[in-house]
């Protein structure tokens, strides 16, 4: 690490951004955050010098990028195409002005090759194209679904209390579930490993599992029987909306509505050998991640997220 390296984490107050910032800090890097508003950051978010601003405001982004050498970018859960275009162009302009040496963009979802008519995918493809075609040294990470989604107010109580894992995925769809901590490890590696510029990587955990196989891993990790229940998207959106609001929940729900049609069956599967070779990391097996979570808190009705 060069003495003057400065790392910016856009979205540092959210769950994924906080994990990235936490890992950078733990490795001794200098880190600055960028966040909208002044609300409560995600649990375990490190204390950072943070620029509070709006991605639609070029001035606040220029301030955030001042003297930055490495940037980790995740866009908020907005699904208006023009707004996302504005965000991406503003990030490019500020990063170019700062002469960043590496920018890592987390799409936060797999990205199909063609238009889907669902903004959750298509706005991320728009942003990815703008960043990738900018001439900046960009690495794109495409994660699948986060394990941490299941340790949440909309899944935790049912898992801990009833032994039921409900999620709006087709029961036979294989998914390389990934934790926030492993996303952070992948992001930090992508920020620093040589020769990755202009690379797009589909990242994920070491196992690609169906719903029943996921439940079996949870059974091993929790030490009790867990069953998988394919959840209706409407029910998922209703639960999620209580936390994120109906507009964001509807946008996220588009990810799963598209899957109910005729999706690419391998879109949510990562080649873990490629992840290990390109990024030099080994991601966490599902059962090990499950065993490390304090599931008992959901039996007390405690909201930790």
């Amino acid at each position: 690490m060069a003495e003057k390296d400065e790392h910016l984490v856009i979205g540092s107050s959210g769950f994924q951004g906080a994990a990235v910032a936490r890992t950078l800090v733990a490795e001794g890097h200098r880190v600055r955050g960028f966040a909208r508003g002044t609300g409560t950051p995600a649990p375990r978010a490190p204390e950072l010098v943070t620029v509070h601003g709006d991605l639609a405001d070029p001035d606040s982004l220029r301030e955030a990028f001042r003297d930055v050498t490495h940037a980790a970018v995740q866009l908020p859960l907005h699904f208006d195409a023009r707004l996302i275009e504005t965000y991406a162009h503003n990030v490019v302009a500020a990063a170019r002005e700062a002469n960043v040496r590496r920018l890592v963009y987390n799409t936060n979802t797999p990205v199909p090759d063609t238009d889907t008519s669902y903004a959750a995918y298509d706005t991320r493809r728009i942003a990815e194209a703008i960043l990738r075609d900018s001439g900046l040294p960009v690495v794109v990470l495409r994660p699948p679904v986060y394990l941490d989604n299941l340790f949440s107010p909309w899944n935790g109580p049912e898992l801990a209390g009833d032994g039921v894992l409900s999620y709006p995925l087709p029961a036979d769809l294989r998914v390389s579930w990934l934790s926030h901590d492993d996303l952070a490890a992948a992001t930090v590696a992508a920020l620093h490993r040589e020769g990755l510029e202009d690379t797009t990587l589909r990242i994920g955990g070491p196992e690609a599992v169906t719903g029943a196989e996921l439940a079996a891993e949870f059974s091993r990790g929790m030490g009790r029987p867990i069953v998988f229940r394919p959840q209706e998207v409407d029910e998922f959106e209703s639960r999620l909306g209580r936390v994120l609001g109906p507009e964001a929940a509807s946008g996220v729900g588009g990810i799963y509505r598209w899957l109910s049609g005729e999706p690419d069956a391998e879109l949510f599967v990562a080649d873990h050998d490629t992840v290990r070779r390109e990024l030099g990391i080994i991601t966490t097996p599902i059962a090990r991640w499950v065993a490390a979570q304090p599931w008992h808190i959901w039996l007390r009705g405690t909201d930790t997220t």
Side-chain angles (χ1 to χ4, degrees):
M1 177 179 64
E3 184 178 347
K4 294 185 178 180
D5 281 358
E6 185 78 34
H7 295 72
L8 174 66
V9 178
I10 292 181
S12 57
S13 64
F15 289 102
Q16 292 85 43
V20 172
R22 185 169 62 245
T23 301
L24 284 167
V25 169
E27 293 190 3
H29 297 287
R30 298 197 305 186
V31 187
R32 179 185 309 160
F34 183 90
R36 295 178 298 142
T38 57
T40 303
R44 300 170 60 212
E47 293 188 8
L48 302 174
V49 173
T50 300
V51 175
H52 294 279
D54 190 327
L55 291 172
D57 175 18
D59 290 336
S60 62
L61 270 174
R62 277 196 293 270
E63 178 186 353
F65 269 95
R66 186 179 296 118
D67 300 323
V68 162
T69 58
H70 300 74
V73 176
Q74 177 172 299
L75 300 182
L77 293 176
H78 292 167
F79 300 103
D80 178 271
R82 288 191 177 183
L83 184 60
I84 294 299
E85 285 181 4
T86 298
Y87 288 170
H89 283 301
N90 287 347
V91 167
V92 166
R96 185 177 287 134
E97 185 173 320
N99 196 29
V100 297
R101 298 204 298 270
R102 182 69 59 82
L103 187 151
V104 176
Y105 171 53
N106 169 22
T107 62
N108 209 34
T109 182
V111 179
D113 292 332
T114 59
D115 291 347
T116 66
S117 79
Y118 288 102
Y121 293 113
D122 296 338
T123 55
R124 272 49 197 172
R125 185 189 303 104
I126 288 169
E128 177 181 320
I130 291 169
L131 291 165
R132 192 180 55 236
D133 297 342
S134 67
L136 293 167
V138 171
V139 180
V140 176
L141 300 181
R142 295 177 174 178
V145 187
Y146 298 120
L147 283 165
D148 304 72
N149 290 359
L150 302 174
F151 190 82
S152 63
W154 52 90
N155 277 106
E158 189 176 35
L159 260 167
D162 303 327
V164 176
L165 196 170
S166 298
Y167 211 76
L169 291 170
D172 59 351
L173 183 74
R174 297 169 65 237
V175 176
S176 300
W177 291 79
L178 183 73
S179 72
H180 288 166
D181 285 341
D182 284 340
L183 166 71
T187 302
V188 173
L191 283 167
H192 300 116
R193 283 176 73 87
E194 295 182 1
L196 287 181
E197 294 87 350
D198 306 318
T199 299
T200 298
L201 294 174
R202 187 185 295 182
I203 61 173
E207 306 127 316
V209 295
T210 64
E213 292 166 343
L214 177 65
E217 295 301 318
F218 267 73
S219 298
R220 288 190 1 209
M222 297 179 76
R224 53 175 292 200
I226 303 294
V227 297
F228 178 75
R229 178 176 72 90
Q231 187 179 35
E232 294 294 329
V233 178
D234 286 344
E235 179 190 349
F236 171 78
E237 286 186 13
S238 176
R239 292 186 182 187
L240 188 61
R242 297 174 200 142
V243 180
L244 300 182
E247 185 175 353
S250 176
V252 174
I255 295 172
Y256 305 104
R257 292 191 187 281
W258 180 75
L259 288 172
S260 66
E262 297 180 2
D264 176 354
E266 296 298 300
L267 184 64
F268 284 70
V269 174
D271 182 345
H272 197 252
D273 288 339
T274 299
V275 173
R276 183 170 55 242
R277 181 177 64 252
E278 298 292 340
L279 297 177
I281 65 170
I282 298 175
T283 53
T284 309
I286 295 169
R288 185 188 305 168
W289 179 88
V290 171
Q293 308 311 308
W295 297 98
H296 63 276
I297 67 169
W298 299 115
L299 298 177
R300 299 199 305 262
T302 304
D303 184 348
T304 63
T305 59

